[in-house]
Amino acid sequence: MALEQSQKMIKKGSNMRKLVFMILCFCLLGGTTVHAESYYLQAAKSIEISAEKLQKSRDKVKEHKDIKVLDELEIPPFHKRDEWEKDSLSKTFCTGCHLSPPHTKNLRSRAFLNMHTEFIACETCHMRPENVTFTYQWLDYRTKQVLTPSVALFRQAINKDDIPKRAEEKVRKTDVMDKIAPFYKNEMALILRDHDFAKESLNIWKEGGFEDKVTRRAKIHAPLKEKGPECKVCHQTEEPLLDLKALGANKKQVKRMQTHIIPQFFKRYTEDDQKIRINSLLK
Ligand code: HEC
Ligand code: HEC
Ligand code: HEC
């Protein structure tokens, strides 16, 4: 009787130990995945690529031509590309393949869109999945640290006295490596150029065979949209995409951005090839 009971106890004990062991393993495994893959990477890896999409990618790779930027093509003191302009996108994954700055096609908006790449991540405009909510924060592309929201991160003058009155007055310097980027569950939702997936992709793009390039290009663009949002998506008071206040802007800056005349003017365009005369600005 006593023997039977003690055997039962041992069995129970070993079951207990098994359970504790299992819990321990579970915790350890869970604990090692401190940095989950970014939203972008998870999406790029998991979205199924249809035969149609793949064919489209094939056409795009076939049509693709590397454009050389002629840095020497300048007549001093005009049109000189400053170092910082090129630096701005040097850590960005996308400009490993795309021009820096990237927008060329839409003559009307390209200068504005390119200017925005100095302070807005490509993914903020091009990665806008349905049913997923991102938060937007200032990201330092050098250190991958989130920056404390501040009025000084914006180009907008902080108050009236800060607006330079003469051209020779020094303009407040903002850092072109600090950009408003999407975050998912408080983790960076994008990858930068030093990420393994980025390195692998750029290597395939340089050395890979045609079909490898096609498949990788399709994967890279699967979570992305061909076009970014319209200007008014950010430059409006009703439910703007970006919470400018949370990003550090003060009331004056928010108002200036949300009611800025240039993006307001863009609302008048309803057709791609529509032309609006300068004097109709007054209407
Ligand atoms: C491996 C190279 C590569 C990388 C990296 C890459 N792209 Fe592209 N992308 C292409 C090619 C090739 C095209 C086709 C048009 C062309 O030839 O430029 C394209 C086209 C596009 C287009 C136009 C729509 C379309 O499908 O033709 C957008 C928008 C775009 N890319 C955004 C991005 C963004 C944003 C990133 C970074 C998250 C990125 N790309 C990363 C190679 C790349
Ligand atoms: C402020 C929002 C915004 C940002 C930031 C942005 N884009 Fe775009 N992008 C757009 C819009 C809008 C279009 C569509 C333009 C059109 O054809 O009307 C576009 C079009 C494109 C195209 C295809 C057409 C073209 O102009 O050649 C490519 C490629 C592209 N973006 C790449 C990028 C890359 C790479 C980045 C980051 C370095 C980036 N974009 C950042 C809004 C943005
Ligand atoms: C993803 C959001 C977003 C989109 C889309 C967007 N903007 Fe902006 N834009 C901003 C933010 C944020 C600023 C302020 C940057 C700063 O002050 O540092 C800004 C600043 C500007 C400025 C500069 C204001 C100034 O006085 O310095 C102009 C002009 C402008 N945007 C025009 C446009 C136009 C035109 C479009 C469409 C072609 C557009 N924006 C699309 C977010 C956006």
Side-chain angles (χ1 to χ4, degrees):
M1 181 67 191
L3 188 71
E4 217 174 86
Q5 203 150 27
S6 63
Q7 266 174 345
K8 245 190 208 160
M9 290 276 281
I10 290 167
K11 221 175 166 190
K12 217 176 179 182
S14 75
N15 275 345
M16 235 2 219
R17 271 198 298 276
K18 256 189 219 155
L19 191 73
V20 169
F21 181 70
M22 270 163 70
I23 292 174
L24 226 99
C25 284
F26 189 76
C27 290
L28 279 174
L29 283 174
T32 48
T33 54
V34 187
H35 280 287
E37 272 188 347
S38 70
Y39 174 87
Y40 167 76
L41 208 55
Q42 283 182 32
K45 286 183 178 172
S46 64
I47 295 174
E48 287 280 343
I49 295 158
S50 63
E52 192 193 330
K53 276 250 170 76
L54 211 56
Q55 187 49 46
K56 210 172 145 194
S57 188
R58 217 165 267 135
D59 296 342
K60 295 219 161 156
V61 175
K62 225 179 266 164
E63 281 165 24
H64 175 79
K65 283 194 189 74
D66 277 328
I67 303 173
K68 269 245 172 313
V69 179
L70 297 172
D71 279 327
E72 286 72 39
L73 196 72
E74 65 182 51
I75 310 162
F78 304 109
H79 284 134
K80 185 163 166 52
R81 279 160 56 90
D82 279 336
E83 276 309 312
W84 64 263
E85 248 181 275
K86 284 183 268 170
D87 272 358
S88 166
L89 296 169
S90 60
K91 309 253 180 220
T92 300
F93 166 42
C94 318
T95 43
C97 298
H98 287 281
L99 281 172
S100 175
H103 304 100
T104 58
K105 296 225 173 90
N106 189 325
L107 298 186
R108 187 196 292 153
S109 64
R110 64 184 185 186
F112 290 107
L113 296 178
N114 286 338
M115 163 189 86
H116 281 70
T117 64
E118 277 170 27
F119 50 84
I120 295 185
C122 314
E123 292 81 354
T124 296
C125 284
H126 285 284
M127 185 166 70
R128 288 167 298 118
E130 285 87 37
N131 311 321
V132 178
T133 316
F134 293 138
T135 51
Y136 296 92
Q137 303 187 69
W138 285 99
L139 175 70
D140 180 340
Y141 272 49
R142 289 192 196 90
T143 60
K144 297 181 199 124
Q145 297 292 317
V146 174
L147 296 159
T148 312
S150 155
V151 283
L153 289 164
F154 289 92
R155 277 134 195 88
Q156 309 293 311
I158 296 168
N159 51 51
K160 234 180 171 177
D161 301 336
D162 291 331
I163 301 172
K165 287 173 193 73
R166 288 188 303 271
E168 68 267 24
E169 277 181 54
K170 236 185 145 69
V171 180
R172 188 163 44 86
K173 199 102 179 101
T174 45
D175 192 334
V176 293
M177 284 299 199
D178 299 342
K179 301 180 203 286
I180 299 171
F183 283 73
Y184 183 62
K185 296 187 174 158
N186 250 345
E187 296 273 355
M188 228 167 99
L190 66 160
I191 59 166
L192 298 187
R193 208 184 290 183
D194 63 358
H195 192 286
D196 284 346
F197 181 84
K199 285 191 207 151
E200 191 185 76
S201 299
L202 299 183
N203 203 37
I204 293 174
W205 196 242
K206 232 170 82 196
E207 326 241 325
F210 179 72
E211 277 304 314
D212 292 333
K213 286 188 191 176
V214 168
T215 322
R216 182 49 68 102
R217 203 211 76 96
K219 219 181 231 331
I220 289 170
H221 297 84
L224 305 176
K225 292 215 165 21
E226 285 198 17
K227 292 200 172 188
E230 286 179 75
C231 317
K232 66 173 183 212
V233 171
C234 295
H235 293 281
Q236 66 185 354
T237 49
E238 300 285 310
E239 291 183 53
L241 176 70
L242 303 175
D243 183 346
L244 296 169
K245 196 170 157 237
L247 287 160
N250 67 20
K251 266 198 188 130
K252 276 203 183 109
Q253 289 175 316
V254 172
K255 187 166 175 226
R256 192 173 146 75
M257 279 181 261
Q258 293 185 340
T259 59
H260 199 286
I261 186 152
I262 296 172
Q264 298 310 316
F265 185 68
F266 266 74
K267 280 194 213 159
R268 296 198 192 185
Y269 292 113
T270 47
E271 310 286 337
D272 267 353
D273 55 357
Q274 187 183 353
K275 293 208 167 52
I276 299 181
R277 286 175 169 279
I278 207 86
N279 57 8
S280 67
L281 258 171
L282 304 168
K283 282 182 200 147

